[in-house]
Amino acid sequence: MAQEITLFDLASKPPSRLVLNYKSIPYNTHWLEFPDIASHLKPLGIPPNTQGKTYTVPTIHLPSSPSHPDGEYIMDSKAIAIALEAKYPEPPLHLDAPELGRAEELWMQLLRSLVGVFGPRVNSTLLNDRSREYVEANMHLEGKP
């Protein structure tokens, strides 16, 4: 039986799940809460991010391969999409589409304009008490948990 991809994620962050589902790639999900992200990922030997938060989700663990006998960990939705596209090219994501850069830019502008309106509601509606308390206590550090 082939090894499955493991997705480490929050219930409120669907992009990587969308890619895995779109490509019909088998995977299992290990749900994490905000306060547990670093303490869970660091002991797995995942190198920290060089910018922003040191450990983030989504993170995936790709099965072992000749070039990565212990598998490979990848953090960040875009990096995950690029890796999955390289390993599983069908159906294509069209990550090379010329419109993608502009779409990403517009998406970030939209998110920045809405965060003040929806951010507090997201925290109180989608997060459980433990994650909400962590996010509220750490929001000031970098503008995000």
Short mmCIF file of all heavy atoms in Angstrom, two decimals, residues 45-82:
data_model
loop_
_atom_site.label_atom_id
_atom_site.label_comp_id
_atom_site.label_asym_id
_atom_site.label_seq_id
_atom_site.Cartn_x
_atom_site.Cartn_y
_atom_site.Cartn_z
N GLY A 45 11.45 17.60 13.27
CA GLY A 45 12.67 17.91 12.53
C GLY A 45 12.45 18.84 11.36
O GLY A 45 13.31 18.99 10.51
N ILE A 46 11.30 19.50 11.35
CA ILE A 46 10.99 20.43 10.26
C ILE A 46 11.80 21.70 10.48
O ILE A 46 11.76 22.29 11.55
CB ILE A 46 9.49 20.77 10.23
CG1 ILE A 46 8.67 19.49 10.05
CG2 ILE A 46 9.17 21.79 9.15
CD1 ILE A 46 7.18 19.68 10.22
N PRO A 47 12.56 22.14 9.46
CA PRO A 47 13.29 23.40 9.65
C PRO A 47 12.32 24.57 9.75
O PRO A 47 11.30 24.60 9.05
CB PRO A 47 14.15 23.51 8.39
CG PRO A 47 13.79 22.39 7.50
CD PRO A 47 12.79 21.52 8.20
N PRO A 48 12.61 25.54 10.61
CA PRO A 48 11.70 26.69 10.76
C PRO A 48 11.73 27.57 9.52
O PRO A 48 12.70 27.58 8.76
CB PRO A 48 12.25 27.43 11.97
CG PRO A 48 13.67 27.01 12.06
CD PRO A 48 13.76 25.62 11.50
N ASN A 49 10.64 28.31 9.33
CA ASN A 49 10.60 29.32 8.27
C ASN A 49 11.68 30.35 8.54
O ASN A 49 11.99 30.65 9.69
CB ASN A 49 9.24 30.03 8.24
CG ASN A 49 8.15 29.17 7.65
OD1 ASN A 49 8.34 28.51 6.65
ND2 ASN A 49 7.00 29.17 8.30
N THR A 50 12.21 30.94 7.49
CA THR A 50 13.23 31.97 7.65
C THR A 50 12.62 33.36 7.80
O THR A 50 13.29 34.29 8.23
CB THR A 50 14.21 31.97 6.46
OG1 THR A 50 13.46 32.14 5.25
CG2 THR A 50 14.99 30.67 6.41
N GLN A 51 11.34 33.50 7.44
CA GLN A 51 10.64 34.77 7.59
C GLN A 51 9.29 34.51 8.26
O GLN A 51 8.70 33.45 8.09
CB GLN A 51 10.40 35.42 6.23
CG GLN A 51 11.66 35.80 5.50
CD GLN A 51 11.36 36.40 4.15
OE1 GLN A 51 10.23 36.42 3.69
NE2 GLN A 51 12.39 36.90 3.50
N GLY A 52 8.79 35.51 8.95
CA GLY A 52 7.47 35.38 9.58
C GLY A 52 7.51 34.41 10.75
O GLY A 52 8.53 34.27 11.44
N LYS A 53 6.41 33.75 10.99
CA LYS A 53 6.32 32.78 12.08
C LYS A 53 7.23 31.59 11.77
O LYS A 53 7.32 31.15 10.63
CB LYS A 53 4.88 32.29 12.25
CG LYS A 53 3.88 33.38 12.62
CD LYS A 53 4.20 34.05 13.92
CE LYS A 53 3.71 33.26 15.09
NZ LYS A 53 3.98 33.87 16.37
N THR A 54 7.87 31.05 12.79
CA THR A 54 8.82 29.96 12.57
C THR A 54 8.15 28.67 12.11
O THR A 54 8.70 27.95 11.29
CB THR A 54 9.65 29.69 13.84
OG1 THR A 54 8.77 29.50 14.94
CG2 THR A 54 10.59 30.84 14.13
N TYR A 55 6.95 28.39 12.63
CA TYR A 55 6.21 27.20 12.22
C TYR A 55 4.78 27.59 11.90
O TYR A 55 4.15 28.32 12.68
CB TYR A 55 6.24 26.12 13.32
CG TYR A 55 7.63 25.57 13.50
CD1 TYR A 55 8.49 26.08 14.46
CD2 TYR A 55 8.09 24.56 12.66
CE1 TYR A 55 9.77 25.59 14.60
CE2 TYR A 55 9.37 24.07 12.79
CZ TYR A 55 10.21 24.59 13.76
OH TYR A 55 11.49 24.11 13.88
N THR A 56 4.29 27.12 10.77
CA THR A 56 2.96 27.49 10.32
C THR A 56 2.22 26.28 9.75
O THR A 56 2.83 25.26 9.42
CB THR A 56 3.03 28.57 9.21
OG1 THR A 56 3.77 28.04 8.10
CG2 THR A 56 3.69 29.84 9.72
N VAL A 57 0.94 26.42 9.65
CA VAL A 57 0.12 25.45 8.93
C VAL A 57 -0.61 26.22 7.84
O VAL A 57 -0.84 27.43 7.99
CB VAL A 57 -0.89 24.72 9.85
CG1 VAL A 57 -0.17 23.80 10.80
CG2 VAL A 57 -1.78 25.69 10.59
N PRO A 58 -0.90 25.56 6.74
CA PRO A 58 -0.75 24.13 6.53
C PRO A 58 0.71 23.73 6.35
O PRO A 58 1.53 24.50 5.88
CB PRO A 58 -1.54 23.86 5.26
CG PRO A 58 -1.49 25.14 4.51
CD PRO A 58 -1.49 26.22 5.56
N THR A 59 0.98 22.50 6.74
CA THR A 59 2.24 21.82 6.50
C THR A 59 1.88 20.43 6.01
O THR A 59 0.92 19.84 6.51
CB THR A 59 3.08 21.71 7.79
OG1 THR A 59 3.42 23.02 8.23
CG2 THR A 59 4.34 20.88 7.59
N ILE A 60 2.61 19.94 5.04
CA ILE A 60 2.37 18.56 4.61
C ILE A 60 3.63 17.74 4.79
O ILE A 60 4.74 18.27 4.80
CB ILE A 60 1.89 18.44 3.13
CG1 ILE A 60 2.94 18.97 2.15
CG2 ILE A 60 0.56 19.11 2.94
CD1 ILE A 60 2.63 18.61 0.70
N HIS A 61 3.43 16.45 4.94
CA HIS A 61 4.52 15.49 4.94
C HIS A 61 4.31 14.59 3.74
O HIS A 61 3.33 13.84 3.68
CB HIS A 61 4.54 14.67 6.23
CG HIS A 61 5.67 13.70 6.28
ND1 HIS A 61 5.48 12.35 6.40
CD2 HIS A 61 7.01 13.89 6.19
CE1 HIS A 61 6.64 11.74 6.39
NE2 HIS A 61 7.59 12.66 6.27
N LEU A 62 5.20 14.73 2.76
CA LEU A 62 5.13 13.88 1.58
C LEU A 62 5.77 12.54 1.90
O LEU A 62 6.74 12.47 2.66
CB LEU A 62 5.87 14.53 0.40
CG LEU A 62 5.26 15.82 -0.13
CD1 LEU A 62 6.18 16.46 -1.17
CD2 LEU A 62 3.90 15.55 -0.76
N PRO A 63 5.27 11.46 1.31
CA PRO A 63 5.85 10.13 1.56
C PRO A 63 7.31 10.07 1.11
O PRO A 63 7.78 10.90 0.33
CB PRO A 63 4.99 9.20 0.71
CG PRO A 63 3.73 9.95 0.43
CD PRO A 63 4.11 11.40 0.43
N SER A 64 8.00 9.04 1.57
CA SER A 64 9.40 8.85 1.21
C SER A 64 9.55 8.68 -0.30
O SER A 64 8.65 8.21 -0.99
CB SER A 64 9.98 7.64 1.95
OG SER A 64 9.29 6.48 1.60
N SER A 65 10.71 9.09 -0.78
CA SER A 65 11.06 8.97 -2.19
C SER A 65 12.56 8.74 -2.24
O SER A 65 13.26 8.89 -1.24
CB SER A 65 10.68 10.24 -2.95
OG SER A 65 11.47 11.32 -2.51
N PRO A 66 13.11 8.39 -3.42
CA PRO A 66 14.56 8.18 -3.50
C PRO A 66 15.36 9.41 -3.05
O PRO A 66 16.39 9.28 -2.39
CB PRO A 66 14.81 7.89 -4.98
CG PRO A 66 13.51 7.29 -5.45
CD PRO A 66 12.45 8.01 -4.67
N SER A 67 14.87 10.61 -3.34
CA SER A 67 15.61 11.81 -2.95
C SER A 67 15.33 12.24 -1.50
O SER A 67 16.09 13.01 -0.94
CB SER A 67 15.29 12.97 -3.90
OG SER A 67 13.92 13.27 -3.85
N HIS A 68 14.25 11.74 -0.93
CA HIS A 68 13.89 12.05 0.47
C HIS A 68 13.42 10.76 1.16
O HIS A 68 12.22 10.52 1.28
CB HIS A 68 12.77 13.10 0.52
CG HIS A 68 13.16 14.43 -0.02
ND1 HIS A 68 12.92 14.80 -1.32
CD2 HIS A 68 13.80 15.47 0.56
CE1 HIS A 68 13.37 16.01 -1.51
NE2 HIS A 68 13.92 16.44 -0.39
N PRO A 69 14.38 9.92 1.59
CA PRO A 69 13.99 8.62 2.16
C PRO A 69 13.09 8.69 3.38
O PRO A 69 12.34 7.77 3.66
CB PRO A 69 15.33 7.95 2.50
CG PRO A 69 16.39 8.91 2.18
CD PRO A 69 15.80 10.12 1.55
N ASP A 70 13.15 9.81 4.13
CA ASP A 70 12.29 9.98 5.30
C ASP A 70 11.05 10.80 4.98
O ASP A 70 10.32 11.22 5.88
CB ASP A 70 13.06 10.66 6.44
CG ASP A 70 14.19 9.78 6.96
OD1 ASP A 70 14.02 8.54 6.97
OD2 ASP A 70 15.23 10.33 7.34
N GLY A 71 10.83 11.08 3.72
CA GLY A 71 9.73 11.95 3.33
C GLY A 71 10.20 13.40 3.36
O GLY A 71 11.37 13.68 3.64
N GLU A 72 9.29 14.29 3.06
CA GLU A 72 9.64 15.71 2.99
C GLU A 72 8.52 16.53 3.60
O GLU A 72 7.35 16.31 3.29
CB GLU A 72 9.85 16.11 1.53
CG GLU A 72 10.22 17.54 1.32
CD GLU A 72 10.38 17.88 -0.16
OE1 GLU A 72 10.03 17.07 -1.04
OE2 GLU A 72 10.86 18.99 -0.41
N TYR A 73 8.87 17.49 4.45
CA TYR A 73 7.90 18.40 5.04
C TYR A 73 7.93 19.71 4.27
O TYR A 73 9.00 20.22 3.94
CB TYR A 73 8.23 18.68 6.51
CG TYR A 73 7.96 17.51 7.42
CD1 TYR A 73 8.98 16.66 7.79
CD2 TYR A 73 6.67 17.27 7.89
CE1 TYR A 73 8.73 15.58 8.64
CE2 TYR A 73 6.42 16.20 8.73
CZ TYR A 73 7.45 15.36 9.10
OH TYR A 73 7.20 14.30 9.92
N ILE A 74 6.75 20.26 4.01
CA ILE A 74 6.63 21.53 3.31
C ILE A 74 5.60 22.37 4.03
O ILE A 74 4.47 21.93 4.27
CB ILE A 74 6.22 21.34 1.84
CG1 ILE A 74 7.24 20.44 1.12
CG2 ILE A 74 6.08 22.68 1.12
CD1 ILE A 74 6.79 19.97 -0.23
N MET A 75 5.98 23.63 4.37
CA MET A 75 5.06 24.58 5.00
C MET A 75 4.68 25.63 3.96
O MET A 75 5.43 25.89 3.04
CB MET A 75 5.73 25.30 6.18
CG MET A 75 5.89 24.44 7.41
SD MET A 75 6.46 25.39 8.86
CE MET A 75 8.20 25.48 8.53
N ASP A 76 3.50 26.23 4.12
CA ASP A 76 3.01 27.33 3.30
C ASP A 76 2.17 26.81 2.13
O ASP A 76 2.60 25.96 1.37
CB ASP A 76 4.15 28.21 2.78
CG ASP A 76 3.62 29.37 1.96
OD1 ASP A 76 2.93 30.23 2.54
OD2 ASP A 76 3.89 29.42 0.74
N SER A 77 0.98 27.36 2.00
CA SER A 77 0.03 26.91 0.98
C SER A 77 0.61 26.96 -0.43
O SER A 77 0.43 26.02 -1.21
CB SER A 77 -1.24 27.77 1.02
OG SER A 77 -1.91 27.59 2.23
N LYS A 78 1.29 28.05 -0.77
CA LYS A 78 1.81 28.17 -2.13
C LYS A 78 2.92 27.15 -2.38
O LYS A 78 2.94 26.50 -3.43
CB LYS A 78 2.31 29.60 -2.39
CG LYS A 78 2.67 29.83 -3.83
CD LYS A 78 2.92 31.29 -4.11
CE LYS A 78 3.16 31.51 -5.59
NZ LYS A 78 3.32 32.92 -5.91
N ALA A 79 3.84 27.00 -1.43
CA ALA A 79 4.91 26.01 -1.58
C ALA A 79 4.34 24.60 -1.68
O ALA A 79 4.83 23.77 -2.46
CB ALA A 79 5.90 26.11 -0.42
N ILE A 80 3.29 24.34 -0.93
CA ILE A 80 2.63 23.03 -0.98
C ILE A 80 2.02 22.81 -2.36
O ILE A 80 2.18 21.75 -2.96
CB ILE A 80 1.57 22.90 0.13
CG1 ILE A 80 2.27 22.82 1.49
CG2 ILE A 80 0.65 21.70 -0.10
CD1 ILE A 80 1.33 22.95 2.69
N ALA A 81 1.32 23.82 -2.88
CA ALA A 81 0.70 23.70 -4.21
C ALA A 81 1.76 23.44 -5.28
O ALA A 81 1.57 22.59 -6.16
CB ALA A 81 -0.10 24.96 -4.55
N ILE A 82 2.89 24.14 -5.21
CA ILE A 82 3.96 23.95 -6.19
C ILE A 82 4.52 22.53 -6.10
O ILE A 82 4.73 21.87 -7.12
CB ILE A 82 5.06 25.02 -5.97
CG1 ILE A 82 4.53 26.40 -6.38
CG2 ILE A 82 6.33 24.66 -6.75
CD1 ILE A 82 5.40 27.56 -5.94
#
